[in-house]
Amino acid sequence: MLDTLDRKLLAALQRDNRKSMADLGETVGLSEPATRRRVTRLRKDGYIRADVSLIDPARIGITVITAIRFAKESRETYDAFKQEIARTPEITQCYTVTGDEDFILIGHFPDMVSYDDWINTRILTNAAISRSTTHVVYRRVKFETAIPL
């Protein structure tokens, strides 16, 4: 269970995980050793999954959001699709969702030709999929990786 100091540490780490333990401790009101112990525990307990650098996707290519609807929903079709997406490096996020669509995919491609090739070979050839709708991101208005604590 997270206490107030754990939440403060997680919030501070989400803003900048490159701070030293001493600076982080000063931010939340703990000594450096106490901060280190807590951060180590938060990692061990799985609250902190990874320390990464966020890349600006617009500098690399295009971002697309694709909604997928299945013609026939079954465990087999869902499992096969999830396995296919897990093997697809261009798709960085995949969500099963409620509503009219079954999956929402967020992908990053060098250009529209690459995306078109991918959708033609991986989605339009899948007989279980009845419809896909693509949204090309032309400007990101808000993007946060921090989870409110």
Side-chain angles (χ1 to χ4, degrees), residues 55-63 108-110 137-140:
I55 296 170
D56 182 356
R59 305 282 304 225
I60 306 299
I62 63 165
T63 299
H108 306 280
F109 295 84
V137 176
Y138 65 89
R139 180 174 295 151
R140 184 167 25 174

Side-chain angles (χ1 to χ4, degrees), residues 105-117:
L105 311 176
I106 299 176
H108 306 280
F109 295 84
D111 51 40
M112 281 303 294
V113 171
S114 301
Y115 176 72
D116 188 50
D117 290 344

Side-chain angles (χ1 to χ4, degrees), residues 52-103:
V52 300
S53 295
L54 299 176
I55 296 170
D56 182 356
R59 305 282 304 225
I60 306 299
I62 63 165
T63 299
V64 294
I65 301 168
T66 305
I68 302 292
R69 183 183 306 166
F70 279 84
K72 180 182 177 214
E73 300 174 62
S74 72
R75 174 175 287 217
E76 293 78 23
T77 57
Y78 271 39
D79 287 348
F81 185 74
K82 289 178 199 176
Q83 290 171 12
E84 172 71 18
I85 293 304
R87 293 188 303 267
T88 306
E90 297 89 353
I91 302 302
T92 57
Q93 297 174 57
C94 175
Y95 302 96
T96 56
V97 296
T98 60
D100 291 335
E101 311 301 340
D102 296 304
F103 289 88

